Amino acid sequence: MSVENQNSNRIFGLDFVRATAILFVVFSHIYYLIDDKNPILIALSGLFGYAGVELFFVLSGFLIGSILLKKYVENQFSKKELIVFLKRRWFRTLPSYYLVLIINIVLVFIFQYPNESIWKYFLFIQNLYQNNITFFTESWSLSIEEWTYIVMPLVLFFGGKLIDNKKYAFLFFSIAIILFSHLLRFYNYQNNQVYDMETWNSNVKSIVFLRIDSIVFGFLIAWFYYFKKEQLKKYCVYLFIISIHLFFLQFLFMNLLGVEIITSPIYFHVFYFTLSSLTFALALPIFIFWKKSGGIFASITTFLSKISYSMYLLHYSIMSVVVKFIISELGLNFSKLILISIYLTLTLSFSYILYRFYEKPLMDLRDKI
């Protein structure tokens, strides 16, 4: 996923969250690469993939929410500023996305994937209100991000005309969007009940209008960081402890208690996402105040953080698919460990190339415009 951050202002804790998130996501697709049907590995892959994306959502919400909040409360949120914000946001995310999308479209015709919905990917509507994703499967989360950063500025822009106090208007509209998304999921539950995880993944978890709140939770953390920074710093450890307990409650104990989509559909349709977003949002403050670190650990973490967006775009639908295809066509037979090592080396290398020679130059150009 993407970030709005300059090297001189990097917060190491946020780099750590970003690096952790991308490692979670990459791990979640390893089972596909090695064709492993082990149910434990598949279950862990699902958990890590979900956690990684949710971390990205909350982190991105905090970073972009902080930018919007500053402009909003300082009365710099005119129509012109709104357009500038959107331009800068799109300059950051769209060039790499469209480049990788074009590569994916080439693979569609090479591997003969279904291609009737290709045009929807260019507008980020492939999973707007129903799932039309037939390739480039990780793009579902990018659609949620892009639409959130259209919806929220517009809500704040027009809502600001109704509420003069910008401090509490930002908080009010953020909470309102969270509640609205929660109610939309309840409405969807009443009218489109599903009872298997595959359908849940595609028709609930991945639908834009049902998931915007997952990013807006990061806006709430941005609000508390801006207006209640000392209190947030004082209690960040306690919030992290609560987050850990909620994580184990949701992803371990409830499973042990037999809470499943068949037995508890309303929980998985409605409350699962709200609780998840709250869990990861509460964990974020402790990392916001982790300003610096050093040594090889810090260098690796910062490197992974910088290439995380490129890595997210490339790692699955391109790298994993192509590596499997080449090895199959050449009739090569590697051990799982060697195959994973080859895949990770290639993924890191191509992600760095995309970042260094395409993503970063465009970002540098954007900052000069």
Side-chain angles (χ1 to χ4, degrees):
M1 318 306 243
S2 54
V3 298
E4 296 273 351
N5 212 1
Q6 299 299 319
N7 288 343
S8 59
N9 297 322
R10 299 194 78 89
I11 296 174
F12 177 77
L14 300 185
D15 278 343
F16 178 81
V17 172
R18 199 176 296 108
T20 301
I22 192 59
L23 290 177
F24 279 5
V25 171
V26 171
F27 172 80
S28 73
H29 294 124
I30 290 294
Y31 80 93
Y32 166 79
L33 175 73
I34 61 178
D35 287 321
D36 198 309
K37 307 300 182 183
N38 186 304
I40 296 178
L41 177 60
I42 293 176
L44 287 175
S45 295
L47 174 58
F48 275 78
Y50 182 77
V53 172
E54 294 303 309
L55 277 173
F56 272 129
F57 280 161
V58 171
L59 174 61
S60 185
F62 169 75
L63 293 169
I64 305 301
S66 296
I67 295 171
L68 280 174
L69 176 60
K70 188 174 187 298
K71 292 181 178 296
Y72 193 62
V73 299
E74 294 178 2
N75 294 317
Q76 298 176 354
F77 210 63
S78 62
K79 185 185 298 184
K80 180 181 178 180
E81 284 295 326
L82 177 62
I83 293 173
V84 169
F85 166 81
L86 291 174
K87 283 182 177 179
R88 286 180 60 83
R89 173 67 188 169
W90 288 334
F91 214 106
R92 170 67 182 92
T93 58
L94 298 190
S96 293
Y97 170 80
Y98 284 129
L99 176 62
V100 174
L101 175 59
I102 291 170
I103 297 173
N104 270 283
I105 291 172
V106 172
L107 294 179
V108 163
F109 292 100
I110 292 176
F111 296 115
Q112 298 182 339
Y113 297 146
N115 56 35
E116 64 273 7
S117 300
I118 285 178
W119 66 273
K120 293 183 178 181
Y121 289 79
F122 287 93
L123 301 176
F124 293 96
I125 60 174
Q126 65 268 35
N127 57 312
L128 186 62
Y129 58 90
Q130 64 181 13
N131 192 301
N132 292 296
I133 295 177
T134 55
F135 67 98
F136 198 6
T137 53
E138 57 269 50
S139 68
W140 70 270
S141 61
L142 304 175
S143 296
I144 293 173
E145 286 212 16
E146 293 303 324
W147 279 102
T148 301
Y149 299 127
I150 294 174
V151 170
M152 280 305 296
L154 289 176
V155 168
L156 292 172
F157 179 77
F158 290 107
K161 300 179 182 302
L162 303 175
I163 302 177
D164 291 332
N165 190 319
K166 296 295 190 294
K167 173 181 177 180
Y168 291 107
F170 187 94
L171 181 63
F172 171 81
F173 288 118
S174 296
I175 294 174
I177 290 295
I178 290 173
L179 292 176
F180 183 68
S181 297
H182 189 84
L183 291 174
L184 274 181
R185 288 196 293 271
F186 181 72
Y187 175 82
N188 183 68
Y189 160 73
Q190 291 183 313
N191 294 275
N192 301 287
Q193 295 187 31
V194 296
Y195 294 97
D196 65 272
M197 293 306 295
E198 183 176 350
T199 307
W200 176 85
N201 267 294
S202 61
N203 294 338
V204 183
K205 186 195 77 174
S206 303
I207 302 302
V208 170
F209 285 144
L210 300 180
R211 298 301 319 281
I212 284 179
D213 61 320
S214 59
I215 297 176
V216 180
F217 268 93
F219 280 55
L220 293 183
I221 302 301
W223 188 90
F224 280 98
Y225 183 72
Y226 191 90
F227 291 110
K228 306 289 182 181
K229 186 174 182 178
E230 292 305 315
Q231 292 93 324
L232 192 64
K233 185 175 183 179
K234 180 179 179 181
Y235 293 107
C236 66
V237 175
Y238 300 103
L239 295 176
F240 184 73
I241 293 172
I242 293 172
S243 173
I244 294 298
H245 282 79
L246 287 176
F247 183 88
F248 281 103
L249 170 66
Q250 183 173 12
F251 298 111
L252 178 60
F253 294 126
M254 284 190 171
N255 287 335
L256 294 176
L257 293 173
V259 178
E260 300 176 351
I261 193 168
I262 296 176
T263 59
S264 307
I266 188 172
Y267 168 72
F268 279 94
H269 277 72
V270 183
F271 298 96
Y272 182 87
F273 301 105
T274 306
L275 185 58
S276 296
S277 299
L278 176 63
T279 297
F280 292 110
L282 291 177
L284 190 61
I286 197 170
F287 297 101
I288 296 172
F289 294 104
W290 186 5
K291 299 297 183 181
K292 295 181 180 180
S293 186
I296 186 70
F297 170 72
S299 299
I300 293 173
T301 299
T302 302
F303 172 75
L304 289 173
S305 174
K306 288 180 177 180
I307 68 170
S308 60
Y309 183 47
S310 295
M311 202 168 170
Y312 188 85
L313 291 170
L314 293 174
H315 80 282
Y316 182 50
S317 294
I318 293 180
M319 296 308 305
S320 185
V321 169
V322 171
V323 167
K324 283 189 69 173
F325 175 75
I326 292 175
I327 288 176
S328 175
E329 287 296 302
L330 296 178
L332 301 175
N333 187 20
F334 296 116
S335 68
K336 292 180 179 180
L337 182 59
I338 293 177
L339 178 56
I340 292 172
S341 299
I342 293 172
Y343 162 71
L344 291 178
T345 299
L346 291 173
T347 299
L348 287 169
S349 299
F350 280 100
S351 298
Y352 174 73
I353 290 171
L354 178 60
Y355 165 76
R356 177 65 180 80
F357 298 105
Y358 187 73
E359 181 183 336
K360 188 175 185 300
L362 286 170
M363 285 292 291
D364 292 340
L365 177 62
R366 183 198 72 170
D367 293 335
K368 293 178 182 178
I369 296 177

